[in-house]
Amino acid sequence: MKVVIQGSKSFEDYNVFMRSMAVALSSMMNDSDIEIYSVGPNKINNFVSGFVNLSEDGMRARGKSIKKYFVPHAWVENNIEDVDYFIYLSKPGERPSRLVGQAEEADCEVGIFRY
């Protein structure tokens, strides 16, 4: 399972981030390999690092692996067809990035989370 996560520069709510990860991972319960690709910004990258570091032992105990990668926008644009779930995090009223539209066009499941 490949999950891409991106947030706006003003996003900073860790609880909403955790909810988005729970939704994404619950939709792909049978996958044994979970790859999380973070597009940023830095706050989102930090959230992803913390989540993966805390989840790694529990996932391993269930026979699953979880890995994180920090990638640029261009990587997502070139590999959007391989993505299973796209998460976008922002405050209400902010427009989603163009990657959200590209993910929707590629029939990728998209979750937009706002607080």
Side-chain angles (χ1 to χ4, degrees):
M1 173 175 134
K2 293 183 180 183
V3 176
V4 172
I5 186 162
Q6 180 186 29
S8 67
K9 290 182 181 180
S10 62
F11 183 83
E12 56 190 28
D13 191 333
Y14 188 72
N15 291 327
V16 174
F17 165 78
M18 289 299 291
R19 183 170 52 95
S20 73
M21 293 306 298
V23 170
L25 296 179
S26 69
S27 69
M28 307 291 180
M29 293 289 286
N30 297 328
D31 291 3
S32 61
D33 295 325
I34 300 166
E35 298 175 353
I36 302 174
Y37 296 88
S38 181
V39 182
N42 193 38
K43 188 77 152 180
I44 301 300
N45 291 344
N46 291 338
F47 287 167
V48 168
S49 289
F51 176 79
V52 170
N53 291 340
L54 289 173
S55 303
E56 201 165 23
D57 290 337
M59 293 286 189
R60 191 175 306 124
R62 293 180 189 94
K64 299 180 181 204
S65 70
I66 184 167
K67 297 177 184 172
K68 68 179 180 296
Y69 304 94
F70 303 113
V71 296
H73 291 207
W75 183 92
V76 177
E77 291 173 354
N78 294 332
N79 296 287
I80 196 70
E81 290 80 21
D82 299 330
V83 173
D84 298 307
Y85 201 94
F86 187 96
I87 298 171
Y88 185 76
L89 305 164
S90 70
K91 288 186 174 181
E94 293 180 329
R95 290 182 30 198
S97 73
R98 62 185 164 93
L99 290 177
V100 173
Q102 290 175 345
E104 289 172 340
E105 289 176 10
D107 289 330
C108 176
E109 193 168 347
V110 175
I112 298 176
F113 296 85
R114 296 187 167 123
Y115 72 99

